[in-house]
Amino acid sequence: MKKILLVAATENEIAPLLKSFNKPDKKNPLHSYRKKNIQCDALITGAGMVNTIFMLSLVLSPEKYDLVLNAGIAGSFRKEIAIGDVVNVLEEIFSDFGAEDGENFLSAFEINLLEKNQFPFRDGKLKSEISLPQFSKLKSVRGITVNTVHGNNKNISAVVKKFNPDIESMEGAAVAYCAMQFGIPWVEIRSISNRIERRDKSKWNIPLSIKNLNDELKNFIESIK
């Protein structure tokens, strides 16, 4: 049986898919789906890195999965990545873990809190080590994970210059870190709901991003043999 853990920050992001899942009981945080040789459990962690790491550790400690699949919406730094596009995040960075030095930001690696190639990092990044054919048509991107989403033009320019990211989320690197620590392959797909700029929700399209994300997830689950 293929045993997959689907991880999302909020129920709303994967609500269309969850209609086919069993609802969790009070003692079990997992929505569940079983069909033939597939077991897919869905975990709603809550937003942000702290919630994500706690909930994932709680679930992954007693259970063994073949794959951790992180799914959600995200903001895009790139004009060529359109709102509604679903992307495959191949690497993640904790981009605000470090220290300020005047106007400059120094990463945790630059101030020697971590080694760049200390497991599970490679050159300061968390890199997915598997490629799923179901997501091969999606754009491959680099993600940063933040505690505070960017909405200040000066800070946006600085983070783009330092890390050259394509998208940002509040959970991606946390999921990748936990999965790798537990020795489980991870994949992350995100649907773009907005551009990263001065905050203006009138330009966002969350319904479209959720629809497109869930279409990809449904196709993925149905394709598993």
Side-chain angles (χ1 to χ4, degrees):
M1 174 182 285
K2 300 284 186 180
K3 195 173 180 183
I4 299 165
L5 181 64
L6 172 63
V7 182
T10 66
E11 189 167 322
N12 186 49
E13 288 169 289
I14 59 169
L17 181 70
L18 289 181
K19 291 178 181 178
S20 60
F21 282 55
N22 295 324
K23 292 182 179 180
D25 58 39
K26 292 181 179 180
K27 296 181 180 180
N28 186 348
L30 299 173
H31 301 254
S32 61
Y33 172 88
R34 286 168 175 78
K35 181 180 179 182
K36 295 182 180 179
N37 64 332
I38 304 168
Q39 177 183 333
C40 183
D41 295 332
L43 174 66
I44 308 301
T45 61
M49 289 181 259
V50 173
N51 283 326
T52 299
I53 289 174
F54 172 75
M55 291 298 294
L56 262 178
S57 297
L58 197 67
V59 169
L60 293 180
S61 293
E63 294 290 337
K64 178 65 177 176
Y65 288 90
D66 300 308
L67 175 72
V68 171
L69 172 57
N70 183 205
I73 62 176
S76 169
F77 290 97
R78 309 291 183 196
K79 292 181 179 179
E80 59 269 26
I81 304 177
I83 291 175
D85 281 356
V86 182
V87 296
N88 186 5
V89 187
L90 298 186
E91 60 182 52
E92 278 282 1
I93 299 171
F94 289 109
S95 66
D96 56 10
F97 179 30
E100 290 183 338
D101 181 15
E103 294 296 314
N104 298 318
F105 172 79
L106 302 175
S107 74
F109 304 102
E110 291 172 313
I111 59 175
N112 298 316
L113 288 180
L114 291 171
E115 297 288 336
K116 279 193 172 183
N117 291 301
Q118 176 182 328
F119 181 83
F121 297 97
R122 281 193 289 152
D123 194 28
K125 305 173 182 69
L126 298 164
K127 300 185 179 185
S128 179
E129 297 179 347
I130 63 170
S131 177
L132 298 180
Q134 296 93 332
F135 300 139
S136 61
K137 68 182 185 299
L138 303 180
K139 293 184 178 75
S140 298
V141 302
R142 175 187 296 111
I144 59 171
T145 299
V146 297
N147 284 297
T148 303
V149 295
H150 286 89
N152 174 286
N153 290 334
K154 181 180 178 181
N155 293 340
I156 292 168
S157 296
V159 80
V160 168
K161 181 178 179 180
K162 189 170 186 69
F163 295 109
N164 192 31
D166 300 304
I167 69 159
E168 76 173 6
S169 73
M170 300 182 78
E171 302 85 20
V175 175
Y177 182 87
C178 277
M180 294 177 81
Q181 290 286 11
F182 280 96
I184 304 170
W186 65 274
V187 171
E188 179 184 359
I189 64 169
R190 295 270 171 180
S191 187
I192 303 306
S193 59
N194 60 283
R195 300 203 185 285
I196 298 168
E197 56 190 2
R198 181 70 180 267
R199 192 173 178 85
D200 182 357
K201 293 190 74 172
S202 69
K203 297 180 181 179
W204 297 15
N205 196 334
I206 291 176
L208 175 64
S209 63
I210 288 175
K211 177 189 179 301
N212 291 350
L213 176 68
N214 282 265
D215 286 347
E216 288 291 340
L217 292 172
K218 289 175 183 176
N219 290 339
F220 169 71
I221 290 175
E222 289 172 0
S223 73
I224 299 173
K225 304 297 183 181

